[in-house]
Amino acid sequence: MRLLLAPMEGLLDYYLREIITSVGGIDFCVSEFIRVNNTLLPSRRFYRTVPELRNGCMTTSGVPVRVQILGSDPICMAENAAKVASLGAVGIDINFGCPAPTVNRNRGGAALLKEPQLMYEIVRAVRAAVPKSISVTAKMRLGYETPDTAVLCAEALSGGGAEEIVVHARTKVDGYKPPAYWEWIAKIKQSVRIPVIANGEIWSHEDALRCQEISGCIDLMLGRGMISNPALALMIRGERNHSLSWHEVIRLLEKFYALMKENRTINNPEGRMKQWLNYLRREYIEADQNFNLLKKLTDDQEIMKQLLNSSTVPDLITK
Protein backbone atom coordinates (compact mmCIF):
# COMPACT_ATOMS: atom_id res chain seq x y z
CA MET A 1 0.00 0.00 0.00
CA ARG A 2 1.22 3.45 -0.94
CA LEU A 3 -0.27 6.58 0.62
CA LEU A 4 0.07 9.84 -1.30
CA LEU A 5 -0.38 13.40 -0.09
CA ALA A 6 -2.73 15.26 -2.43
CA PRO A 7 -2.13 18.60 -4.13
CA MET A 8 -4.44 21.22 -2.64
CA GLU A 9 -4.21 24.60 -4.34
CA GLY A 10 -3.97 27.48 -1.89
CA LEU A 11 -3.47 25.23 1.13
CA LEU A 12 -1.11 22.28 0.82
CA ASP A 13 2.00 24.12 -0.33
CA TYR A 14 5.69 23.66 0.50
CA TYR A 15 5.27 24.78 4.11
CA LEU A 16 2.43 22.44 4.97
CA ARG A 17 4.01 19.56 3.01
CA GLU A 18 7.06 19.95 5.24
CA ILE A 19 4.97 19.73 8.40
CA ILE A 20 2.58 16.97 7.35
CA THR A 21 5.30 14.68 5.97
CA SER A 22 7.30 15.10 9.19
CA VAL A 23 4.54 13.21 11.04
CA GLY A 24 5.11 10.11 8.89
CA GLY A 25 3.16 7.60 6.84
CA ILE A 26 3.26 9.38 3.46
CA ASP A 27 5.13 7.74 0.56
CA PHE A 28 5.20 10.74 -1.74
CA CYS A 29 3.53 14.06 -2.44
CA VAL A 30 2.19 15.88 -5.47
CA SER A 31 2.73 19.64 -5.55
CA GLU A 32 0.01 22.21 -6.13
CA PHE A 33 -0.34 22.88 -9.86
CA ILE A 34 1.90 25.19 -11.89
CA ARG A 35 -0.14 26.81 -14.63
CA VAL A 36 1.35 26.56 -18.13
CA ASN A 37 0.00 28.96 -20.74
CA ASN A 38 1.80 29.82 -23.96
CA THR A 39 5.32 30.35 -22.73
CA LEU A 40 8.30 28.53 -21.30
CA LEU A 41 8.28 29.37 -17.62
CA PRO A 42 11.47 30.60 -15.94
CA SER A 43 13.21 28.35 -13.44
CA ARG A 44 12.24 30.61 -10.56
CA ARG A 45 8.56 29.81 -11.15
CA PHE A 46 9.16 26.13 -10.54
CA TYR A 47 11.44 26.75 -7.58
CA ARG A 48 8.89 29.09 -5.99
CA THR A 49 6.12 26.47 -6.06
CA VAL A 50 8.34 23.46 -5.41
CA PRO A 51 11.35 24.55 -3.31
CA GLU A 52 12.01 20.84 -2.79
CA LEU A 53 13.65 20.90 -6.24
CA ARG A 54 16.70 22.30 -4.42
CA ASN A 55 16.70 19.28 -2.11
CA GLY A 56 16.58 16.38 -4.56
CA CYS A 57 12.85 17.04 -5.01
CA MET A 58 12.16 15.73 -1.52
CA THR A 59 10.84 17.21 1.69
CA THR A 60 13.33 17.41 4.54
CA SER A 61 11.73 14.21 5.85
CA GLY A 62 12.86 12.45 2.68
CA VAL A 63 9.45 12.20 1.02
CA PRO A 64 9.61 12.65 -2.80
CA VAL A 65 7.50 15.37 -4.42
CA ARG A 66 6.11 15.10 -7.96
CA VAL A 67 5.73 18.43 -9.74
CA GLN A 68 2.23 19.01 -11.08
CA ILE A 69 1.62 21.09 -14.20
CA LEU A 70 -1.68 22.27 -15.71
CA GLY A 71 -2.41 23.47 -19.23
CA SER A 72 -4.04 22.58 -22.54
CA ASP A 73 -1.33 23.05 -25.19
CA PRO A 74 0.58 19.77 -25.72
CA ILE A 75 3.70 21.43 -27.12
CA CYS A 76 3.93 24.04 -24.38
CA MET A 77 3.21 21.47 -21.68
CA ALA A 78 5.97 19.25 -23.09
CA GLU A 79 8.49 22.11 -23.18
CA ASN A 80 7.79 23.04 -19.58
CA ALA A 81 7.88 19.41 -18.49
CA ALA A 82 11.33 19.11 -20.04
CA LYS A 83 12.37 22.29 -18.22
CA VAL A 84 11.27 21.08 -14.80
CA ALA A 85 12.86 17.70 -15.50
CA SER A 86 16.17 19.47 -16.09
CA LEU A 87 15.79 21.09 -12.65
CA GLY A 88 15.74 17.70 -10.97
CA ALA A 89 12.08 16.67 -10.80
CA VAL A 90 11.61 13.05 -9.75
CA GLY A 91 8.19 12.92 -11.37
CA ILE A 92 5.76 15.06 -13.33
CA ASP A 93 2.03 14.93 -12.71
CA ILE A 94 -0.55 16.43 -15.08
CA ASN A 95 -3.70 18.03 -13.68
CA PHE A 96 -6.99 17.00 -15.29
CA GLY A 97 -9.08 17.50 -12.18
CA CYS A 98 -9.03 21.08 -10.90
CA PRO A 99 -12.68 22.27 -10.65
CA ALA A 100 -11.91 25.99 -10.20
CA PRO A 101 -14.05 28.08 -12.60
CA THR A 102 -11.14 30.39 -13.52
CA VAL A 103 -9.04 27.36 -14.49
CA ASN A 104 -11.86 25.66 -16.38
CA ARG A 105 -12.76 28.82 -18.34
CA ASN A 106 -9.21 28.82 -19.65
CA ARG A 107 -9.49 25.22 -20.85
CA GLY A 108 -7.55 23.75 -17.96
CA GLY A 109 -8.00 21.15 -15.24
CA ALA A 110 -11.35 19.35 -15.23
CA ALA A 111 -12.50 21.14 -18.39
CA LEU A 112 -10.20 18.83 -20.37
CA LEU A 113 -12.30 15.84 -19.30
CA LYS A 114 -14.61 16.88 -22.13
CA GLU A 115 -11.73 16.33 -24.59
CA PRO A 116 -10.23 12.83 -24.15
CA GLN A 117 -8.26 13.09 -27.39
CA LEU A 118 -6.55 16.25 -26.17
CA MET A 119 -5.81 14.56 -22.84
CA TYR A 120 -4.11 11.79 -24.78
CA GLU A 121 -2.06 14.25 -26.82
CA ILE A 122 -0.91 16.18 -23.75
CA VAL A 123 0.27 13.08 -21.92
CA ARG A 124 1.95 11.68 -25.02
CA ALA A 125 3.82 14.95 -25.64
CA VAL A 126 4.96 15.23 -22.02
CA ARG A 127 6.04 11.59 -21.89
CA ALA A 128 8.11 12.05 -25.04
CA ALA A 129 9.75 15.21 -23.72
CA VAL A 130 11.20 13.91 -20.45
CA PRO A 131 13.69 11.13 -19.70
CA LYS A 132 12.16 7.72 -19.09
CA SER A 133 13.70 7.72 -15.63
CA ILE A 134 11.24 10.46 -14.63
CA SER A 135 7.69 9.27 -13.99
CA VAL A 136 4.77 10.88 -15.80
CA THR A 137 1.45 10.52 -14.01
CA ALA A 138 -1.98 12.16 -14.11
CA LYS A 139 -4.80 13.12 -11.78
CA MET A 140 -8.37 13.19 -13.05
CA ARG A 141 -11.97 13.38 -11.86
CA LEU A 142 -14.78 11.14 -13.04
CA GLY A 143 -15.92 13.68 -15.62
CA TYR A 144 -17.13 17.23 -16.03
CA GLU A 145 -20.88 16.89 -15.46
CA THR A 146 -21.39 13.12 -15.45
CA PRO A 147 -19.07 10.09 -15.13
CA ASP A 148 -20.17 8.66 -18.46
CA THR A 149 -16.76 9.24 -20.10
CA ALA A 150 -14.62 8.38 -17.05
CA VAL A 151 -13.34 5.13 -18.54
CA LEU A 152 -12.65 6.78 -21.90
CA CYS A 153 -10.63 9.54 -20.22
CA ALA A 154 -8.63 7.04 -18.19
CA GLU A 155 -7.88 5.03 -21.32
CA ALA A 156 -6.71 8.21 -23.03
CA LEU A 157 -4.26 8.89 -20.20
CA SER A 158 -3.02 5.31 -20.20
CA GLY A 159 -2.70 5.27 -23.96
CA GLY A 160 -0.72 8.51 -23.90
CA GLY A 161 1.89 6.98 -21.62
CA ALA A 162 0.86 7.88 -18.08
CA GLU A 163 2.45 5.43 -15.65
CA GLU A 164 -0.38 5.69 -13.14
CA ILE A 165 -3.58 7.63 -12.56
CA VAL A 166 -5.05 9.17 -9.45
CA VAL A 167 -8.84 9.31 -9.69
CA HIS A 168 -10.80 11.76 -7.54
CA ALA A 169 -14.13 9.96 -7.31
CA ARG A 170 -16.36 12.93 -8.16
CA THR A 171 -17.12 15.01 -11.23
CA LYS A 172 -16.26 18.66 -11.64
CA VAL A 173 -19.88 19.60 -10.95
CA ASP A 174 -19.83 17.50 -7.76
CA GLY A 175 -17.00 19.66 -6.46
CA TYR A 176 -16.13 18.38 -2.98
CA LYS A 177 -19.65 17.45 -1.88
CA PRO A 178 -20.01 13.93 -0.45
CA PRO A 179 -20.31 11.18 -1.32
CA ALA A 180 -17.34 9.99 -3.37
CA TYR A 181 -18.31 7.45 -6.02
CA TRP A 182 -15.61 4.86 -5.43
CA GLU A 183 -17.47 2.29 -7.52
CA TRP A 184 -16.55 4.30 -10.62
CA ILE A 185 -12.87 3.97 -9.75
CA ALA A 186 -13.37 0.20 -9.85
CA LYS A 187 -14.67 0.49 -13.42
CA ILE A 188 -11.63 2.55 -14.39
CA LYS A 189 -9.24 0.13 -12.72
CA GLN A 190 -10.71 -2.74 -14.71
CA SER A 191 -10.24 -0.86 -17.99
CA VAL A 192 -6.55 0.11 -17.80
CA ARG A 193 -3.38 -1.85 -17.15
CA ILE A 194 -1.57 0.82 -15.17
CA PRO A 195 -1.87 1.45 -11.41
CA VAL A 196 -4.93 3.42 -10.30
CA ILE A 197 -4.93 5.36 -7.02
CA ALA A 198 -8.21 6.18 -5.27
CA ASN A 199 -8.92 9.66 -3.90
CA GLY A 200 -11.90 11.32 -2.23
CA GLU A 201 -13.72 11.28 1.15
CA ILE A 202 -11.08 9.31 3.06
CA TRP A 203 -11.26 10.75 6.58
CA SER A 204 -10.52 7.70 8.72
CA HIS A 205 -9.04 4.22 8.81
CA GLU A 206 -12.53 2.83 8.26
CA ASP A 207 -13.04 5.05 5.20
CA ALA A 208 -9.73 3.82 3.79
CA LEU A 209 -10.76 0.18 4.15
CA ARG A 210 -14.15 0.79 2.53
CA CYS A 211 -12.57 2.74 -0.31
CA GLN A 212 -10.09 -0.06 -0.97
CA GLU A 213 -12.85 -2.65 -0.93
CA ILE A 214 -15.21 -0.75 -3.24
CA SER A 215 -12.63 0.71 -5.64
CA GLY A 216 -10.36 -2.32 -5.77
CA CYS A 217 -7.38 0.01 -5.26
CA ILE A 218 -4.69 -0.64 -2.69
CA ASP A 219 -3.01 2.77 -3.06
CA LEU A 220 -4.77 5.88 -1.75
CA MET A 221 -4.33 9.63 -2.04
CA LEU A 222 -5.19 11.64 1.07
CA GLY A 223 -6.05 15.35 1.05
CA ARG A 224 -8.44 17.07 3.44
CA GLY A 225 -8.37 14.05 5.75
CA MET A 226 -4.64 14.48 6.32
CA ILE A 227 -4.96 18.21 6.97
CA SER A 228 -7.71 17.56 9.52
CA ASN A 229 -5.88 14.63 11.12
CA PRO A 230 -2.09 14.69 10.50
CA ALA A 231 -1.76 11.15 11.90
CA LEU A 232 -4.27 9.70 9.42
CA ALA A 233 -1.67 7.97 7.22
CA LEU A 234 -0.10 6.29 10.26
CA MET A 235 -3.55 5.23 11.47
CA ILE A 236 -4.41 3.74 8.07
CA ARG A 237 -1.14 1.80 8.18
CA GLY A 238 -1.97 0.52 11.65
CA GLU A 239 1.05 2.27 13.16
CA ARG A 240 -1.14 4.41 15.44
CA ASN A 241 -4.57 3.74 16.88
CA HIS A 242 -5.44 7.35 17.68
CA SER A 243 -4.94 10.90 16.48
CA LEU A 244 -2.15 13.16 17.69
CA SER A 245 -2.79 14.86 21.00
CA TRP A 246 -3.68 18.55 20.95
CA HIS A 247 -0.25 19.26 22.47
CA GLU A 248 1.39 17.51 19.49
CA VAL A 249 -0.77 19.46 17.05
CA ILE A 250 0.24 22.72 18.71
CA ARG A 251 3.89 21.77 18.18
CA LEU A 252 3.12 21.27 14.47
CA LEU A 253 1.37 24.64 14.28
CA GLU A 254 4.36 26.21 16.00
CA LYS A 255 6.77 24.69 13.46
CA PHE A 256 4.47 25.76 10.62
CA TYR A 257 4.46 29.33 11.90
CA ALA A 258 8.25 29.37 12.38
CA LEU A 259 8.84 28.02 8.87
CA MET A 260 6.65 30.71 7.29
CA LYS A 261 8.37 33.46 9.28
CA GLU A 262 11.82 32.10 8.47
CA ASN A 263 11.26 32.03 4.71
CA ARG A 264 9.36 35.34 4.57
CA THR A 265 7.51 34.50 1.36
CA ILE A 266 4.06 34.26 2.96
CA ASN A 267 2.35 37.62 3.22
CA ASN A 268 -0.36 36.46 5.62
CA PRO A 269 0.85 33.77 8.00
CA GLU A 270 -2.12 34.56 10.23
CA GLY A 271 -4.47 33.62 7.39
CA ARG A 272 -2.65 30.36 6.77
CA MET A 273 -2.81 29.37 10.42
CA LYS A 274 -6.55 30.12 10.55
CA GLN A 275 -7.04 28.11 7.37
CA TRP A 276 -5.37 25.02 8.82
CA LEU A 277 -7.08 25.48 12.18
CA ASN A 278 -10.43 25.48 10.40
CA TYR A 279 -9.68 22.01 9.00
CA LEU A 280 -8.46 20.79 12.40
CA ARG A 281 -11.90 21.62 13.85
CA ARG A 282 -13.20 18.41 12.28
CA GLU A 283 -10.96 16.31 14.51
CA TYR A 284 -10.21 18.45 17.56
CA ILE A 285 -12.62 20.08 20.01
CA GLU A 286 -9.78 22.39 21.05
CA ALA A 287 -9.43 23.71 17.51
CA ASP A 288 -13.16 24.28 17.34
CA GLN A 289 -13.15 26.15 20.64
CA ASN A 290 -10.22 28.36 19.62
CA PHE A 291 -11.35 29.11 16.09
CA ASN A 292 -14.07 31.65 16.85
CA LEU A 293 -11.66 33.62 19.04
CA LEU A 294 -8.70 33.41 16.69
CA LYS A 295 -10.60 34.33 13.54
CA LYS A 296 -11.10 37.83 15.02
CA LEU A 297 -7.34 38.35 15.55
CA THR A 298 -5.29 39.92 12.78
CA ASP A 299 -1.79 39.69 14.26
CA ASP A 300 0.01 36.41 13.65
CA GLN A 301 2.00 36.62 16.89
CA GLU A 302 -1.17 37.08 18.93
CA ILE A 303 -2.71 34.08 17.20
CA MET A 304 0.31 31.95 17.98
CA LYS A 305 0.34 33.15 21.59
CA GLN A 306 -3.31 32.17 22.02
CA LEU A 307 -2.69 28.73 20.52
CA LEU A 308 0.29 28.12 22.80
CA ASN A 309 -1.82 29.12 25.80
CA SER A 310 -4.46 26.61 24.74
CA SER A 311 -1.90 23.79 24.97
CA THR A 312 -1.30 24.42 28.69
CA VAL A 313 -4.70 22.99 29.64
CA PRO A 314 -5.41 19.23 29.65
CA ASP A 315 -6.31 17.70 26.28
CA LEU A 316 -10.00 17.30 25.62
CA ILE A 317 -11.39 14.24 23.92
CA THR A 318 -11.15 14.51 20.15
CA LYS A 319 -14.33 14.39 18.14
Side-chain angles (χ1 to χ4, degrees), residues 13-14 17 30-34 43-55 57-58 64-68 84 87 89 91:
D13 62 0
Y14 161 72
R17 282 196 299 272
V30 179
S31 78
E32 66 271 45
F33 68 76
I34 299 171
S43 298
R44 66 178 181 276
R45 178 68 179 88
F46 295 106
Y47 286 128
R48 183 169 72 244
T49 302
V50 192
E52 294 98 337
L53 284 165
R54 301 186 187 276
N55 185 45
C57 218
M58 295 188 293
V65 181
R66 291 178 180 170
V67 180
Q68 188 178 82
V84 73
L87 300 178

Side-chain angles (χ1 to χ4, degrees), residues 199-210:
N199 174 229
E201 289 300 304
I202 302 171
W203 299 96
S204 66
H205 181 232
E206 293 73 21
D207 290 339
L209 292 177
R210 287 197 309 111

